[in-house]
Each structure stands twice: as structure tokens, then as C-alpha cells.
Amino acid sequence: MQPSIANSTMQLPAHSARKAGGSARSRRAVQSKGSCSLRNLAILAMVAWSFFLYLHFSLISGAEEVSNGDPCRGRYIYVYDLPPRFNTDIIRDCRKAGGRWADMCAFLSNGGLGRPLADDGMDGVVTGKAGWYNTHELALDAIFHNRMKQYECLTNRSAAASAVFVPFYAGFDSLRYRVGYDKATRDAASADLSFWLTVQPQWGRMAGRDHFLVAGRTGWDFRRRSGADANTDRGNGLLLTPAGRNMSLLVLESTLEHGSDFSVPYPTYFHPRSDADVLRWQARVRAQHRTWLMAFVGAPRRNVPTSTWVRDHVIAQCKACSACAMPGCARSPGSAQCHSPASIVRLFEKAIFCLQPPGDDGSSTRRSVFDSMVAGCIPVFFHTASAYKQYRWHLPRDDHLRYSVFIPDADVRWRNVSIEAVLRAIPPSTVERMREEVIRLIPTLLYADPRSKLETLKDAVDVAIEGILDTVTRIKNGEQVNCCGPVDKDPPNLFAATASRIPPKGAMRAVDQNR
């Protein structure tokens, strides 16, 4: 029995061991399953947390997720934080530069608008309280930059942007070195900017074709001709730099020969703070009793043969016409009347038509075009480049006679056509329709106060941004973008409404004699 007991005794530990081993394996299996579950839970938690953080920070950064409900989809703009040498330093030293630039210092206050107009005791309307400022016509760099700060679709993520704004004060840079500086000095800031831009990661996306900057000068001021003209005192070579050749440049007047410079309106004296400011002004100019048939604001050209410039013929006809109003500067060069904003605005308010020959220094247009239209005055052009081949974002593209009158300059210079007779021949009902179209265009010709923003109306900046975004989209689609219409022929139907009103030279003499 001993052995049996012994054998039995020997088997008990083995059986127990088998049970113990099975229990251990079961415990390990349970532990393994528990570890897997915990690991999966941890992974799920990490995924959930990451998703939460993603949504959280996306909302904080401006909700730039691409979705059908995003009102800024396709409209985001990224603004470079340029080194101050490209903007603020340029205007900070304005008093040290001397010459004409010193005169600009007073115009750089209030976000580039200049000083508010004081109440002259007339009607209390054309004053700083109502949004009127002594704005310089070349202050667009600062005005546009400050106005961009109010754009509703800015982004700090350049990858989400449809366009990139370069706040380089090119117009001010050109102005400070306008006279008496050599080519290297005038080109220094533009060359520096070109190098800075082309090494930025944002530049590589479209080689700068989605970039734009604004300059309060004409396009020719940034496209100096090569060769013998390379060291003349006119302008710099910004548009000839590697960066300048690809960017879009918004200027006061286009060169009409290149696809990269787009014209935007000259700044006027009126900078509304709200839709109500604009609507009140439109109502005012609509109700104005206009006592003058036509008006001209500007001085005669000096040392220019009268036979070669229509401007002098326009002034001569205005002086000889009792129905034409002119401030003192047109009669006596140097008169301060042409530099009094309130006087200019009130003169335009009293005229039905405003005569707009080409401007100074060979430019095709002039600030007066926009000052007069803001006052509800119908512009009379003598050259197609003054408006019809420019400002295609801000003025009607095709039916130009909806808002203006065109009298060919050659007819005025050589055939001695009577401007008064042409304007009197326009039916009153047509005049009313034209004036209403001018009044309708007023908001898009204004630069709203950059410290505020219009609620529903679009100002000149809004329209320009839409034009840039459309341009970039077309470039992405492979289109060849052109800033202007064809320059070798006049726009369609341009003469349809005026050709029949210009009688032959002999008949015009008879009309003049019978008046």
C-alpha cells in the first residue's frame, strides 16, 4: 500500500501543477486581453483628442476649412509682414528727404487720408465730420494698406490664401527719389524687395503670380525704359525686377501695354465710414440744382504749343462760354482755388458736365475725373485712354456712353468743334440717365475710411480685390491675362451717340454765329 500511497502522493503535485499551469495561462490570457483593450482605448483617446485639438485650433485660426458654407472660400488673402524698410521707414523719414516729398508729410495722417476738412461755414456737409479730408492724390499706398487691415477674409495661413498682398510703399519710394538721384538709388528698394520676395516659401507656389502690390503712381513710373533713358529722372525699374515681372501692380494709371499693371481710381476727398454716409451723399448730389452746363478744374500747360494739346483748347472754349465754370487757376496759373477741396467739390456739384482732357506729364487721365464723378457730374472725355481703356474693374467695360460723353480730341483741335454745342444737343432724358449711372457708380470710386468699413456697399478696394482674385483664378486656369482692352482701336459703339452731333466745320461756324 505504501507504494500506492507514495504514487498517489507523487501524482497530487503533478495534478495540482497542471491545474496551476492552466490557471496561470488563463490569467495571462485575461491580462493580455486587458492590455489590448487598454491599448486600443488609449489609441482611440489619442485620436479623439487629436481630432478635438484640430477642430479647436482650426476654429481659432479663422475657420479656414474648405466647406460650402464658408463665406471666405476662395477669397482669403495673406498679407506679408514686411521688414519696416519697405513701408513704415519710407514714410517716417519724409521730412528729411526735402523737395516735393516734404509736402507729403501732412497728408500721411489719419491712415493716409490727410487732415479732415474744416467747416467753411457754407453748409456743414463737406467737412471732416462727414468723411471729407484733404487727401493727396498720390497717397494710395498708405490708404490701401490700412484699408486692407479691415478686409474680412484675411488669413495668417498662406497655404489657405487665394492671393498674397505685398504692402511695399512703391509709390512713396518712387516719389522720394523722383528728382536728382541716380539709377542705383532709385532702384535700391525695388531690387531689395525683389530678392526678399523670391526667397519666401509663398513665392514658390505660383512664382509670384498670385502676389499683388499697390502704388500711388502711374505704371510708367515703375517701368523705366532701358538704353538712353535709363538714367533719366523719371521713375524706377520695379516692374523690370524678377519679382516685379510676375506680380500684379495696382496703379493710378496703367501703361496700357503690359498685362501686369492694373489701374484703380485716384483717391478723392470723400472717405465714408458707413453705408449711411454714402447713401446720404448720393441723395444730396441727385437733388442738386445744377446751374452750369459744364465745368473745368485745372491749370493750363506751360511751355507747350497750343496746337498740340487738347487741354488748352478745352480751357479756351470754357473761357469763351458763359455756361462754363472754372476756378481761378484755369485763368491764372498758381491760384489757390484749384487746391481747395471744398471749393472744387461745390463747383462740380453745380455742373451738369465736367470736362476731362488728359492730365499732366503725359498721363492719360487725372484725379479730377473721380472728384467730379463723386460729385455727380457727367465726365466728358477727349481721349479713349482717359477712362475707356482703363479702370475696367471700376467703370463699365463696354457701354461707356451710359455714364460719359466722348468728343475726339482731333475734332476739338483741328475742326474747332464746339463742346458747348455737342453737350446741348444731348436730350434731357439722356442726361438724366447718364447722371443716375454716375451716381450709381459713386461707391466703387471711393476709398472708405481705413479705420472703418462699409457694411454692404463695395468701395474701390473691395472691387480691386475682386479683380485680383479673378485674375489669379484665370492665371491658374492657364489664361493669358491682359490688364486692358486693345489699344489699337476704340471700344465698341464709342462714337454712336456723338458722331451725329458733330456737324461739319462750316456748319459749326453757322451755329456759333446764330447763338
Side-chain angles (χ1 to χ4, degrees):
M1 297 297 294
Q2 284 281 12
S4 297
I5 295 173
N7 289 340
S8 176
T9 305
M10 294 293 293
Q11 291 173 358
L12 285 172
H15 178 65
S16 297
R18 284 194 298 272
K19 290 181 66 177
S23 298
R25 283 192 298 272
S26 297
R27 285 195 299 272
R28 284 195 297 271
V30 170
Q31 290 172 353
S32 177
K33 290 180 179 178
S35 298
C36 288
S37 298
L38 290 173
R39 192 160 45 247
N40 290 338
L41 286 173
I43 293 172
L44 289 173
M46 289 179 64
V47 171
W49 181 246
S50 299
F51 184 68
F52 170 77
L53 291 176
Y54 173 78
L55 290 178
H56 177 69
F57 286 108
S58 293
L59 289 172
I60 289 178
S61 64
E64 294 162 353
E65 301 302 311
V66 177
S67 64
N68 292 330
D70 184 359
C72 287
R73 184 182 183 183
R75 300 174 56 226
Y76 284 112
I77 291 181
Y78 176 80
V79 180
Y80 277 120
D81 183 16
L82 291 181
R85 66 181 183 275
F86 292 123
N87 41 49
T88 55
D89 285 354
I90 293 176
I91 60 176
R92 184 179 294 118
D93 295 333
C94 66
R95 294 194 182 278
K96 298 179 182 179
R100 185 182 179 188
W101 174 249
D103 297 336
M104 285 292 294
C105 296
F107 296 99
L108 296 176
S109 59
N110 296 304
L113 304 184
R115 295 170 180 166
L117 297 184
D119 189 349
D120 59 3
M122 295 292 291
D123 52 22
V125 175
V126 186
T127 66
K129 292 181 179 179
W132 292 84
Y133 294 81
N134 188 17
T135 303
H136 197 284
E137 64 182 45
L138 305 179
L140 185 61
D141 303 46
I143 294 173
F144 203 104
H145 183 197
N146 289 310
R147 175 65 179 77
M148 278 296 298
K149 297 174 183 177
Q150 303 296 331
Y151 181 63
E152 66 273 17
C153 294
L154 295 178
T155 177
N156 57 6
R157 294 173 53 203
S158 59
S162 296
V164 178
F165 176 51
V166 183
F168 170 49
Y169 289 176
F172 290 151
D173 175 59
S174 171
L175 189 60
R176 64 174 172 169
Y177 297 132
R178 181 167 173 78
V179 178
Y181 294 89
D182 59 21
K183 173 185 173 184
T185 302
R186 284 179 280 135
D187 287 351
S190 297
D192 188 8
L193 176 76
S194 179
F195 177 80
W196 190 93
L197 286 175
T198 53
V199 298
Q200 302 303 311
Q202 295 86 356
W203 184 267
R205 183 171 59 179
M206 290 182 63
R209 301 297 298 278
D210 56 350
H211 286 46
F212 71 100
L213 60 81
V214 178
R217 303 286 297 175
T218 71
W220 286 117
D221 287 305
F222 307 103
R223 193 183 292 274
R224 185 182 53 246
R225 298 183 185 276
S226 59
D229 295 333
N231 274 308
T232 61
D233 284 334
R234 174 95 185 213
N236 61 44
L238 172 63
L239 289 177
L240 304 178
T241 65
R245 285 193 289 265
N246 282 7
M247 287 189 294
S248 294
L249 180 64
L250 305 188
V251 291
L252 298 177
E253 296 182 37
S254 169
T255 60
L256 300 177
E257 294 183 8
H258 306 276
S260 60
D261 55 314
F262 299 81
S263 50
V264 294
Y266 277 81
T268 67
Y269 301 113
F270 185 33
H271 305 281
R273 304 181 183 95
S274 66
D275 287 7
D277 287 348
V278 180
L279 296 175
R280 278 193 295 268
W281 179 254
Q282 287 178 302
R284 172 187 167 94
V285 298
R286 184 178 287 114
Q288 279 292 319
H289 176 60
R290 299 180 182 268
T291 55
W292 297 97
L293 172 66
M294 54 187 178
F296 173 78
V297 173
R301 294 177 181 272
R302 298 181 179 182
N303 302 320
V304 176
T306 305
S307 61
T308 60
W309 295 103
V310 69
R311 181 182 186 130
D312 296 309
H313 290 268
V314 168
I315 292 175
Q317 288 205 26
C318 189
K319 285 181 178 180
C321 174
S322 61
C324 186
M326 287 191 305
C329 58
R331 303 177 184 278
S332 175
S335 169
Q337 282 184 292
C338 275
H339 302 286
S340 171
S343 298
I344 293 171
V345 171
R346 291 196 175 95
L347 179 64
F348 286 149
E349 280 188 291
K350 294 297 183 180
I352 299 172
F353 299 99
C354 288
L355 309 180
Q356 301 298 351
D360 296 317
D361 298 328
S363 61
S364 299
T365 191
R366 49 207 298 263
R367 177 219 181 110
S368 176
V369 170
F370 303 99
D371 286 331
S372 65
M373 292 182 69
V374 167
C377 191
I378 302 167
V380 180
F381 296 116
F382 302 87
H383 197 286
T384 55
S386 294
Y388 306 149
K389 294 177 180 177
Q390 300 197 68
Y391 312 107
R392 294 172 64 82
W393 297 338
H394 296 81
L395 296 176
R397 293 192 177 193
D398 298 315
D399 190 2
H400 305 289
L401 298 179
R402 285 166 48 195
Y403 73 95
S404 67
V405 177
F406 180 77
I407 305 175
D409 64 339
D411 286 327
V412 176
R413 288 188 293 116
W414 302 116
R415 292 174 55 194
N416 198 28
V417 164
S418 168
I419 299 171
E420 179 185 3
V422 172
L423 299 181
R424 289 194 184 280
I426 302 176
S429 59
T430 301
V431 172
E432 288 300 318
R433 286 196 300 271
M434 295 169 75
R435 182 184 302 115
E436 192 58 37
E437 179 66 12
V438 169
I439 294 172
R440 185 189 70 81
L441 290 170
I442 286 176
T444 65
L445 306 179
L446 298 171
Y447 294 93
D449 190 319
R451 297 161 294 185
S452 60
K453 189 181 185 305
L454 304 184
E455 297 85 23
T456 60
L457 298 175
K458 295 179 181 179
D459 74 342
V461 173
D462 293 318
V463 175
I465 291 174
E466 288 182 355
I468 283 293
L469 293 173
D470 176 67
T471 298
V472 173
T473 298
R474 291 164 58 196
I475 291 173
K476 288 180 179 178
N477 292 336
E479 294 185 41
Q480 184 66 37
V481 176
N482 185 13
C483 66
C484 319
V487 297
D488 57 339
K489 60 181 180 180
D490 296 323
N493 303 317
L494 184 61
F495 300 99
T498 56
S500 61
R501 299 187 189 127
I502 303 177
K505 190 172 182 179
M508 181 56 65
R509 287 202 197 94
V511 171
D512 292 339
Q513 291 171 358
N514 293 330
R515 279 209 309 267

